[in-house]
Amino acid sequence: MKNTQWDKTYDVVVVGSGAGALTAALTAIHQGLRVVILEKTAYWGGSSAYSGGGLWIPANFLMKKAGALDSPEEALEYMNAVIGEVGPASTEEKRKIFLKFGPEMVDWLTSLGFKWVRAHLYPDYYPNVKGAKTGRVIEGAVFDGKKLGPLAKSLNKAPGMPDIALKSGDAYLLPMVTRSWKGFSTMMRILGQTLQWKLTGKQPLTLGRSLCGQLMYLIQKKQPTEVWLNSPLKEIISDGDSVVGVVVERDGKATKIKAEKAIILAAGGFPHNKEMRKKYHGLDQEWSSATPGNTGDAITAAESIGAATDLMDDAWWGASFILDGKINFSVTERSMPGCILVDQDGFRFANESTSYVDLGHRILEHHRNTGKAIPCWLIMDGLYRKRYLFGMMPPGLTPKKFIRNGEIIKADSLESLARQCNIPYDNLKATLVRFNSFALHGKDEDFGRGQDIYDRYYSDDFIRPNSNLAPITTPPFYAIRFYPGDLGTKGGLLTDEFARVLRKDGTAIKNLYATGNTTASVMGRTYPGPGSTLGPACTFGYIAVKHLTNTL
């Protein structure tokens, strides 16, 4: 390594540009370190900018401000119960340090000027487990993207997602836009605030774009920092005991960057790497909502110098559908009353309203057992389509192009619908007769849909006796294919409680840290609550720099 000719030298090299990467970069800059941010694609923000932007941070200051009671001890009890024992990816030490430094990280960002809002009604995903709470998720307030200057143009954006003044706490009301005054007034407020911002020359950034935008703004405000776009990682350079630099491709040539203090890997997982998906997930195809640049480069580069991995067979799963050729991650659609999910034989196999990661796991498990769940079908009736949003389709409006291209099946009878979907009609009919009886008396005797507050978070309070269940009887009938999509993979590099990347023998690779979906998740194989990806990503990015600077 002594004879290496370096093209650039920095104290800290951050690989990736999502929320975890930006939190790490901001922390390093405030410690007086020289930082470069490397981004593979032409857009910074990664999958974080695509996301709802929520962080699951128990006992955060907004909970306390609202008078909600919470503590690290209750959160740990809850995490231990829902995550269980999953091996080195989610040790007791990692859970405790996350719960300790998560609120501290949020408080520190607040002191720098970061603006937060709380989705106060959003419950943990296992509300009946001891230690569960409502309101542990926080997110960035609406932020004016114009403050980013030229960087605003290269902030990542989910395909088809408009810049509107939307908060994740509004999401449960939007399906009810034509059903309740609260839903309608929420939509009018969003549109009014968006129009007001745009008329005054502002660019409203919300959700994940607010999170990334505010972090980048604070970075550049503190110290103008280089963000290298179109600069994919090619190699991590090691001297045997520690890492000393990286090789990236920039302007068509290899560029060697020396890292005097540390390399922090926060480049996402491998949802769009076909070979890795086949190897670890057994899938010939992926239906991921993650940004296209997530192909596992940082994981494989670290593996080549001896890094260990864990949970590689898992992901942040969730049922997803395709409209207009685009993947849509389903949260609200499958939960509203008047729909069911059936396999290719016409049988239900899961609680449609359960948390998305559990439903994703259920689809995969059912397909492994039967070979009949990829794809499965969401069946709806005419009353459902009249009442509720579906993806970006307003209530009562199902564009004919989606029916012509086969993405949505429409029929005047269940028999015709079954025939078009190649589902045995007798099976589908029997399934609906049974389900409709559940809807009438308000209890799903097969899967318990609508029996807890998480199920009912996305539901229709005007439907009785169970706000998640309504009979499917009114033609025309609709069906759409559902797939085991994901928000990204959750297996990756094995790290310790200080975010240090570990070898297979458990020793740390000196000066190499990682966070976010590049790592095996502290949340193990489950998803305790909204923001369980970004909460740990930002927290361990913060912890990594505090550790390398001896300021923990």
Side-chain angles (χ1 to χ4, degrees), residues 213-230:
Q214 290 198 68
L215 289 170
M216 181 63 80
Y217 173 73
L218 293 174
I219 287 170
Q220 301 301 337
K221 181 181 177 182
K222 176 66 178 180
Q223 176 66 53
T225 300
E226 292 183 70
V227 181
W228 291 17
L229 302 177
N230 298 306

PDB file of all heavy atoms in Angstrom, residues 213-230:
ATOM      1  N   GLY A 213     -33.294  15.751   1.830  1.00  0.00           N
ATOM      2  CA  GLY A 213     -33.054  17.163   1.500  1.00  0.00           C
ATOM      3  C   GLY A 213     -32.573  17.960   2.693  1.00  0.00           C
ATOM      4  O   GLY A 213     -31.627  18.753   2.581  1.00  0.00           O
ATOM      5  N   GLN A 214     -33.207  17.766   3.855  1.00  0.00           N
ATOM      6  CA  GLN A 214     -32.774  18.489   5.045  1.00  0.00           C
ATOM      7  C   GLN A 214     -31.366  18.086   5.470  1.00  0.00           C
ATOM      8  O   GLN A 214     -30.555  18.938   5.868  1.00  0.00           O
ATOM      9  CB  GLN A 214     -33.757  18.250   6.188  1.00  0.00           C
ATOM     10  CG  GLN A 214     -35.113  18.920   6.001  1.00  0.00           C
ATOM     11  CD  GLN A 214     -35.873  19.014   7.310  1.00  0.00           C
ATOM     12  OE1 GLN A 214     -35.475  19.757   8.217  1.00  0.00           O
ATOM     13  NE2 GLN A 214     -36.979  18.278   7.414  1.00  0.00           N
ATOM     14  N   LEU A 215     -31.058  16.789   5.393  1.00  0.00           N
ATOM     15  CA  LEU A 215     -29.718  16.335   5.767  1.00  0.00           C
ATOM     16  C   LEU A 215     -28.663  16.931   4.846  1.00  0.00           C
ATOM     17  O   LEU A 215     -27.619  17.417   5.306  1.00  0.00           O
ATOM     18  CB  LEU A 215     -29.652  14.805   5.730  1.00  0.00           C
ATOM     19  CG  LEU A 215     -30.403  14.067   6.835  1.00  0.00           C
ATOM     20  CD1 LEU A 215     -30.457  12.575   6.542  1.00  0.00           C
ATOM     21  CD2 LEU A 215     -29.760  14.327   8.204  1.00  0.00           C
ATOM     22  N   MET A 216     -28.925  16.917   3.543  1.00  0.00           N
ATOM     23  CA  MET A 216     -27.960  17.487   2.602  1.00  0.00           C
ATOM     24  C   MET A 216     -27.817  18.995   2.808  1.00  0.00           C
ATOM     25  O   MET A 216     -26.707  19.546   2.728  1.00  0.00           O
ATOM     26  CB  MET A 216     -28.385  17.188   1.172  1.00  0.00           C
ATOM     27  CG  MET A 216     -27.406  17.724   0.118  1.00  0.00           C
ATOM     28  SD  MET A 216     -25.747  16.987   0.207  1.00  0.00           S
ATOM     29  CE  MET A 216     -26.040  15.430  -0.650  1.00  0.00           C
ATOM     30  N   TYR A 217     -28.917  19.665   3.093  1.00  0.00           N
ATOM     31  CA  TYR A 217     -28.861  21.106   3.349  1.00  0.00           C
ATOM     32  C   TYR A 217     -27.978  21.416   4.555  1.00  0.00           C
ATOM     33  O   TYR A 217     -27.139  22.329   4.517  1.00  0.00           O
ATOM     34  CB  TYR A 217     -30.271  21.640   3.574  1.00  0.00           C
ATOM     35  CG  TYR A 217     -30.315  23.088   4.018  1.00  0.00           C
ATOM     36  CD1 TYR A 217     -30.026  24.110   3.126  1.00  0.00           C
ATOM     37  CD2 TYR A 217     -30.636  23.416   5.338  1.00  0.00           C
ATOM     38  CE1 TYR A 217     -30.063  25.445   3.528  1.00  0.00           C
ATOM     39  CE2 TYR A 217     -30.677  24.737   5.746  1.00  0.00           C
ATOM     40  CZ  TYR A 217     -30.380  25.750   4.840  1.00  0.00           C
ATOM     41  OH  TYR A 217     -30.402  27.061   5.253  1.00  0.00           O
ATOM     42  N   LEU A 218     -28.127  20.629   5.616  1.00  0.00           N
ATOM     43  CA  LEU A 218     -27.316  20.849   6.816  1.00  0.00           C
ATOM     44  C   LEU A 218     -25.848  20.532   6.563  1.00  0.00           C
ATOM     45  O   LEU A 218     -24.955  21.191   7.112  1.00  0.00           O
ATOM     46  CB  LEU A 218     -27.849  20.001   7.970  1.00  0.00           C
ATOM     47  CG  LEU A 218     -29.242  20.388   8.487  1.00  0.00           C
ATOM     48  CD1 LEU A 218     -29.724  19.388   9.524  1.00  0.00           C
ATOM     49  CD2 LEU A 218     -29.236  21.803   9.060  1.00  0.00           C
ATOM     50  N   ILE A 219     -25.589  19.539   5.717  1.00  0.00           N
ATOM     51  CA  ILE A 219     -24.207  19.225   5.344  1.00  0.00           C
ATOM     52  C   ILE A 219     -23.565  20.399   4.623  1.00  0.00           C
ATOM     53  O   ILE A 219     -22.479  20.876   4.993  1.00  0.00           O
ATOM     54  CB  ILE A 219     -24.165  17.970   4.443  1.00  0.00           C
ATOM     55  CG1 ILE A 219     -24.446  16.714   5.269  1.00  0.00           C
ATOM     56  CG2 ILE A 219     -22.815  17.836   3.731  1.00  0.00           C
ATOM     57  CD1 ILE A 219     -24.655  15.470   4.429  1.00  0.00           C
ATOM     58  N   GLN A 220     -24.217  20.870   3.599  1.00  0.00           N
ATOM     59  CA  GLN A 220     -23.636  21.948   2.780  1.00  0.00           C
ATOM     60  C   GLN A 220     -23.594  23.273   3.541  1.00  0.00           C
ATOM     61  O   GLN A 220     -22.702  24.103   3.310  1.00  0.00           O
ATOM     62  CB  GLN A 220     -24.432  22.101   1.482  1.00  0.00           C
ATOM     63  CG  GLN A 220     -24.475  20.847   0.622  1.00  0.00           C
ATOM     64  CD  GLN A 220     -23.103  20.358   0.189  1.00  0.00           C
ATOM     65  OE1 GLN A 220     -22.130  21.109   0.143  1.00  0.00           O
ATOM     66  NE2 GLN A 220     -23.013  19.073  -0.129  1.00  0.00           N
ATOM     67  N   LYS A 221     -24.520  23.466   4.460  1.00  0.00           N
ATOM     68  CA  LYS A 221     -24.518  24.675   5.284  1.00  0.00           C
ATOM     69  C   LYS A 221     -23.315  24.697   6.223  1.00  0.00           C
ATOM     70  O   LYS A 221     -22.687  25.746   6.437  1.00  0.00           O
ATOM     71  CB  LYS A 221     -25.816  24.743   6.096  1.00  0.00           C
ATOM     72  CG  LYS A 221     -25.952  25.973   6.981  1.00  0.00           C
ATOM     73  CD  LYS A 221     -27.270  25.925   7.749  1.00  0.00           C
ATOM     74  CE  LYS A 221     -27.406  27.118   8.703  1.00  0.00           C
ATOM     75  NZ  LYS A 221     -28.669  27.044   9.475  1.00  0.00           N
ATOM     76  N   LYS A 222     -22.976  23.543   6.776  1.00  0.00           N
ATOM     77  CA  LYS A 222     -21.846  23.458   7.686  1.00  0.00           C
ATOM     78  C   LYS A 222     -20.522  23.536   6.951  1.00  0.00           C
ATOM     79  O   LYS A 222     -19.602  24.265   7.359  1.00  0.00           O
ATOM     80  CB  LYS A 222     -21.922  22.138   8.473  1.00  0.00           C
ATOM     81  CG  LYS A 222     -20.731  21.882   9.400  1.00  0.00           C
ATOM     82  CD  LYS A 222     -20.659  22.883  10.533  1.00  0.00           C
ATOM     83  CE  LYS A 222     -19.506  22.581  11.473  1.00  0.00           C
ATOM     84  NZ  LYS A 222     -19.416  23.534  12.596  1.00  0.00           N
ATOM     85  N   GLN A 223     -20.411  22.782   5.859  1.00  0.00           N
ATOM     86  CA  GLN A 223     -19.155  22.738   5.113  1.00  0.00           C
ATOM     87  C   GLN A 223     -19.441  22.253   3.693  1.00  0.00           C
ATOM     88  O   GLN A 223     -19.848  21.109   3.505  1.00  0.00           O
ATOM     89  CB  GLN A 223     -18.164  21.771   5.778  1.00  0.00           C
ATOM     90  CG  GLN A 223     -16.862  21.585   5.037  1.00  0.00           C
ATOM     91  CD  GLN A 223     -16.024  22.853   5.006  1.00  0.00           C
ATOM     92  OE1 GLN A 223     -15.761  23.446   6.036  1.00  0.00           O
ATOM     93  NE2 GLN A 223     -15.616  23.276   3.821  1.00  0.00           N
ATOM     94  N   PRO A 224     -19.268  23.103   2.679  1.00  0.00           N
ATOM     95  CA  PRO A 224     -19.473  22.637   1.301  1.00  0.00           C
ATOM     96  C   PRO A 224     -18.726  21.319   1.068  1.00  0.00           C
ATOM     97  O   PRO A 224     -17.518  21.242   1.237  1.00  0.00           O
ATOM     98  CB  PRO A 224     -18.907  23.780   0.457  1.00  0.00           C
ATOM     99  CG  PRO A 224     -19.096  24.999   1.317  1.00  0.00           C
ATOM    100  CD  PRO A 224     -18.854  24.516   2.726  1.00  0.00           C
ATOM    101  N   THR A 225     -19.478  20.298   0.732  1.00  0.00           N
ATOM    102  CA  THR A 225     -18.945  18.943   0.672  1.00  0.00           C
ATOM    103  C   THR A 225     -19.171  18.342  -0.702  1.00  0.00           C
ATOM    104  O   THR A 225     -20.246  18.484  -1.292  1.00  0.00           O
ATOM    105  CB  THR A 225     -19.636  18.064   1.745  1.00  0.00           C
ATOM    106  OG1 THR A 225     -19.369  18.626   3.038  1.00  0.00           O
ATOM    107  CG2 THR A 225     -19.134  16.636   1.704  1.00  0.00           C
ATOM    108  N   GLU A 226     -18.157  17.668  -1.208  1.00  0.00           N
ATOM    109  CA  GLU A 226     -18.243  17.074  -2.531  1.00  0.00           C
ATOM    110  C   GLU A 226     -19.190  15.881  -2.546  1.00  0.00           C
ATOM    111  O   GLU A 226     -19.118  15.013  -1.677  1.00  0.00           O
ATOM    112  CB  GLU A 226     -16.858  16.617  -3.005  1.00  0.00           C
ATOM    113  CG  GLU A 226     -15.896  17.761  -3.284  1.00  0.00           C
ATOM    114  CD  GLU A 226     -14.573  17.249  -3.808  1.00  0.00           C
ATOM    115  OE1 GLU A 226     -14.532  16.763  -4.966  1.00  0.00           O
ATOM    116  OE2 GLU A 226     -13.584  17.310  -3.059  1.00  0.00           O
ATOM    117  N   VAL A 227     -20.064  15.853  -3.531  1.00  0.00           N
ATOM    118  CA  VAL A 227     -20.948  14.726  -3.776  1.00  0.00           C
ATOM    119  C   VAL A 227     -20.635  14.246  -5.189  1.00  0.00           C
ATOM    120  O   VAL A 227     -20.942  14.916  -6.170  1.00  0.00           O
ATOM    121  CB  VAL A 227     -22.430  15.125  -3.664  1.00  0.00           C
ATOM    122  CG1 VAL A 227     -23.329  13.912  -3.910  1.00  0.00           C
ATOM    123  CG2 VAL A 227     -22.729  15.744  -2.301  1.00  0.00           C
ATOM    124  N   TRP A 228     -19.999  13.093  -5.278  1.00  0.00           N
ATOM    125  CA  TRP A 228     -19.624  12.555  -6.576  1.00  0.00           C
ATOM    126  C   TRP A 228     -20.751  11.673  -7.106  1.00  0.00           C
ATOM    127  O   TRP A 228     -20.983  10.578  -6.595  1.00  0.00           O
ATOM    128  CB  TRP A 228     -18.354  11.718  -6.470  1.00  0.00           C
ATOM    129  CG  TRP A 228     -17.097  12.492  -6.181  1.00  0.00           C
ATOM    130  CD1 TRP A 228     -16.990  13.767  -5.695  1.00  0.00           C
ATOM    131  CD2 TRP A 228     -15.756  12.018  -6.333  1.00  0.00           C
ATOM    132  NE1 TRP A 228     -15.679  14.109  -5.545  1.00  0.00           N
ATOM    133  CE2 TRP A 228     -14.890  13.061  -5.931  1.00  0.00           C
ATOM    134  CE3 TRP A 228     -15.197  10.810  -6.765  1.00  0.00           C
ATOM    135  CZ2 TRP A 228     -13.502  12.939  -5.950  1.00  0.00           C
ATOM    136  CZ3 TRP A 228     -13.823  10.674  -6.794  1.00  0.00           C
ATOM    137  CH2 TRP A 228     -12.984  11.737  -6.393  1.00  0.00           C
ATOM    138  N   LEU A 229     -21.445  12.135  -8.134  1.00  0.00           N
ATOM    139  CA  LEU A 229     -22.474  11.336  -8.776  1.00  0.00           C
ATOM    140  C   LEU A 229     -21.840  10.493  -9.880  1.00  0.00           C
ATOM    141  O   LEU A 229     -20.717  10.737 -10.309  1.00  0.00           O
ATOM    142  CB  LEU A 229     -23.561  12.248  -9.351  1.00  0.00           C
ATOM    143  CG  LEU A 229     -24.270  13.170  -8.348  1.00  0.00           C
ATOM    144  CD1 LEU A 229     -25.270  14.063  -9.074  1.00  0.00           C
ATOM    145  CD2 LEU A 229     -24.957  12.378  -7.256  1.00  0.00           C
ATOM    146  N   ASN A 230     -22.575   9.481 -10.317  1.00  0.00           N
ATOM    147  CA  ASN A 230     -22.077   8.580 -11.374  1.00  0.00           C
ATOM    148  C   ASN A 230     -20.692   8.042 -11.044  1.00  0.00           C
ATOM    149  O   ASN A 230     -19.815   7.943 -11.908  1.00  0.00           O
ATOM    150  CB  ASN A 230     -22.041   9.314 -12.720  1.00  0.00           C
ATOM    151  CG  ASN A 230     -23.415   9.761 -13.179  1.00  0.00           C
ATOM    152  OD1 ASN A 230     -24.339   8.957 -13.262  1.00  0.00           O
ATOM    153  ND2 ASN A 230     -23.563  11.053 -13.435  1.00  0.00           N
TER     154      ASN A 230
END
